[in-house]
Amino acid sequence: MTGPAAPFAASRRTVTDRQPIALISVQGDPTATNVQGGAIGQSVYVRQVGEALAKLGWQVDIFTRKAEADGAAIVEHGPHCRTVHLPAGPPTQLLEAEVFPHLPEFIQALQAFQTKQGSHYPLIHTNGWLSAWSGLQLRQQSNVQLVHTYHTLGCIEYQACPQKPAIAPTRHQIEQQILQQAHRVVATSPQEQEALRRLMATDGQIEIIPCGADLEHFRSLPKAEARATLGLADHTQVVLYVGRFAPHKGVETLIRAFAQCYERQGSVGSASPSENRLRLLLVGSGQAIGGASGSEHQADDPERERLAALVHQLGVAHVTQFVGQVSYDRLPVYYTAADVCVIPSHYEPFGLVAIEAMACGTPVVASDVGGLKFTVMPGETGLLVPSQDVSAFARGIERVLADADWANQLKQQAAHRVRQTFSWASVAGQLSDLYRRLLAQSITQEQLWVDGPAVPWPCQPSTPTVEPLSPFSGVQAS
Ligand code: UDP
């Protein structure tokens, strides 16, 4: 693990003797307690990576959009890592498509912040497609090294939606351009690298650096205690989902699989439907709703309403609990209390939930897709089954629940694998090496950066009220 290289000492004297770098996460605020808009994993990544990079000697500024009117402008994570909230559009939670026309304001605010601080970021690491657009614009303004992490891909995410949003083609174009024009794209698994090559572009430089889990936070706790905290009886068999309720996360597959398990458990052995021991906990969006012990609240997003209707239709509403969004601090209790954590995604570039569950010693049954093939070792730390295959998920869940000895073996191996391979300190060490190499190249080659083709101005003719900002002379208005 290495920190900033000595040759840059001269350029970092104005404010600090550390090398400043910027992480941009327009739509995944690392300080938010209630993240909306599809960027939960991204906000975890940016916070963990930022803090770990600061420990390695970098001066880390994380830039995100101000989404709370009365939130602090700057939040210090530690002496050398902070999050800066920049104004861009109304200070409320917005969908990604709603944020898009406000990106010029975001860039202008970031540049004003740099000027005020008297600092310059020679390296910018962008996260998510909105940040990619911002990074491409900033790269046209000055000699910055641009690193990008996707976190998700529009063409995969939208596949599961009944109707593609109007922003889809623009997002796709940006996601292609960032691969072609960034100095490095960080893929979080070999499977993500393969998907980027297949779906985005054959040119552009990719380096594989995985995600991590906070190993102090996610660790094996006494299961009985976790159960007691959540009011779950010892004999209950708990199936857990943690994540967003976006269609491509495949929660419907899990609910249907769970209903199959429930039906079979009721019709065999001693359990009658009324004394069935299975419970499904769905941790994710919004407030608590329904189920065995939750209070009834109004669901707050259409996908969740659809899923709530499905559990009723399948007759498992009384054994299903929509837990709502759980704070990061409290998640280990849920992972530990569960007998199996199910990740039924249609696709995951990495899938943080898999390694968090495994770090807590909870076996995982996951779709045989993307980064889940990289993190979950079938038969050793859990099971991989074909994505969207309801019966295969049901059989996988039953296999783990049926054999306590095997589940215990999976538990040990799962925790061991995460400890060996996926720590944020190791991720930051690898990123640090990459940044150092890129910065060294930019100095020795003087003008390494070249202007790529201009990225189309985000404000298309359909939103003509927003004028292009004058500082960006290289950007074409359409
Ligand atoms: N998460 C959370 N509270 C919740 C649901 C999820 O803190 O109620 C966190 C979870 O711990 C994980 C992240 O959100 O770190 C989800 O990341 P993942 O890569 O699994 O999915 P993404 O949302 O990035 O597609």
Side-chain angles (χ1 to χ4, degrees):
M1 266 176 249
T2 27
F8 312 117
S11 65
R12 53 184 148 114
R13 285 210 181 105
T14 19
V15 181
T16 167
D17 60 356
R18 288 172 163 240
Q19 175 69 62
I21 51 170
L23 304 186
I24 300 183
S25 177
V26 173
Q27 182 77 338
D29 181 349
T31 67
T33 47
N34 185 6
V35 184
Q36 292 177 357
I40 310 186
Q42 181 180 313
S43 62
V44 171
Y45 177 94
V46 171
R47 185 182 68 229
Q48 296 288 345
V49 157
E51 291 177 5
L53 285 167
K55 285 188 188 141
L56 292 181
W58 300 87
Q59 183 68 35
V60 183
D61 283 347
I62 304 171
F63 293 96
T64 190
R65 194 184 76 84
K66 185 175 173 62
E68 283 176 25
D70 51 2
I74 296 181
V75 176
E76 301 280 348
H77 297 255
H80 302 292
C81 178
R82 60 186 174 172
T83 288
V84 182
H85 295 99
L86 299 176
T92 54
Q93 294 283 349
L94 297 177
L95 299 173
E96 290 181 333
E98 295 167 332
V99 172
F100 190 52
H102 298 291
L103 289 180
E105 294 158 57
F106 184 86
I107 293 175
Q108 198 175 40
L110 199 156
Q111 288 178 322
F113 181 86
Q114 274 194 90
T115 308
K116 198 171 162 204
Q117 299 279 311
S119 60
H120 167 70
Y121 304 103
L123 185 138
I124 291 175
H125 185 161
T126 54
N127 292 269
W129 70 276
L130 291 170
S131 311
W133 188 92
S134 311
L136 287 166
Q137 305 310 310
L138 289 165
R139 195 193 157 186
Q140 290 187 337
Q141 311 307 309
S142 61
N143 183 10
V144 295
Q145 294 296 301
L146 183 58
V147 177
H148 181 70
T149 304
Y150 281 83
H151 297 281
T152 169
L153 280 179
C155 58
I156 291 173
E157 207 169 291
Y158 299 145
Q159 233 170 31
C161 298
Q163 220 181 349
K164 265 192 193 173
I167 197 79
T170 311
R171 174 173 174 179
H172 187 71
Q173 195 178 10
I174 294 166
E175 288 183 329
Q176 274 183 325
Q177 284 177 336
I178 192 74
L179 176 51
Q180 291 163 329
Q181 295 181 34
H183 294 95
R184 204 69 94 244
V185 158
V186 172
T188 52
S189 64
Q191 290 75 13
E192 185 185 8
Q193 180 181 33
E194 183 278 321
L196 292 176
R197 286 288 177 236
R198 186 165 38 86
L199 299 167
M200 289 294 127
T202 48
D203 49 348
Q205 297 195 62
I206 303 177
E207 192 152 323
I208 299 170
I209 300 179
C211 295
D214 180 343
L215 301 178
E216 294 292 305
H217 186 57
F218 294 110
R219 59 197 165 84
S220 294
L221 304 165
K223 191 166 182 163
E225 268 177 41
R227 290 263 169 131
T229 309
L230 298 181
L232 292 163
D234 283 348
H235 67 275
T236 307
Q237 294 188 308
V238 178
V239 179
L240 176 71
Y241 171 81
V242 174
R244 291 184 279 141
F245 286 1
H248 76 283
K249 289 285 183 179
V251 188
E252 176 172 347
T253 305
L254 165 59
I255 291 171
R256 290 188 181 281
F258 177 81
Q260 281 191 5
C261 300
Y262 178 79
E263 204 180 319
R264 282 202 281 265
Q265 200 179 74
S267 60
V268 293
S270 59
S272 70
S274 59
E275 58 191 27
N276 202 296
R277 296 182 302 151
L278 276 173
R279 289 286 177 278
L280 176 60
L281 300 189
L282 299 170
V283 169
S285 72
Q287 310 260 301
I289 181 175
S293 59
S295 56
E296 288 286 347
H297 286 272
Q298 198 60 35
D300 60 356
D301 74 60
E303 179 63 0
R304 202 172 81 158
E305 280 178 48
R306 194 180 71 80
L307 296 172
L310 184 67
V311 298
H312 277 282
Q313 186 198 322
L314 296 174
V316 290
H318 62 298
V319 284
T320 301
Q321 188 180 347
F322 286 81
V323 178
Q325 197 169 98
V326 169
S327 73
Y328 192 73
D329 289 348
R330 211 169 142 75
L331 269 178
V333 179
Y334 283 86
Y335 286 129
T336 307
D339 293 295
V340 57
C341 181
V342 181
I343 306 169
S345 311
H346 299 183
Y347 179 77
E348 284 292 343
F350 185 83
L352 283 174
V353 166
I355 58 169
E356 291 168 0
M358 292 191 319
C360 292
T362 307
V364 165
V365 174
S367 299
D368 189 6
V369 295
L372 297 169
K373 288 161 90 161
F374 175 56
T375 52
V376 181
M377 313 292 284
E380 279 182 42
T381 69
L383 290 172
L384 290 174
V385 299
S387 141
Q388 302 178 64
D389 186 333
V390 171
S391 300
F393 268 96
R395 284 194 301 273
I397 293 167
E398 285 170 340
R399 257 189 83 189
V400 176
L401 295 180
D403 188 341
D405 289 342
W406 185 56
N408 201 35
Q409 215 177 317
L410 294 179
K411 177 185 163 97
Q412 314 286 340
Q413 288 161 182
H416 180 72
R417 168 148 175 80
V418 178
R419 250 149 244 292
Q420 289 283 305
T421 324
F422 303 111
S423 73
W424 285 117
S426 145
V427 172
Q430 293 171 65
L431 287 172
S432 195
D433 278 346
L434 169 63
Y435 296 168
R436 201 167 42 79
R437 275 184 275 127
L438 291 175
L439 288 171
Q441 272 175 34
S442 78
I443 284 177
T444 51
Q445 295 174 16
E446 281 187 6
Q447 193 75 3
L448 186 69
W449 67 294
V450 287
D451 283 343
V455 182
W457 189 253
C459 311
Q460 300 295 319
S462 56
T463 52
T465 47
V466 183
E467 292 296 320
L469 295 170
S470 56
F472 308 136
S473 51
V475 179
Q476 288 173 349
S478 54

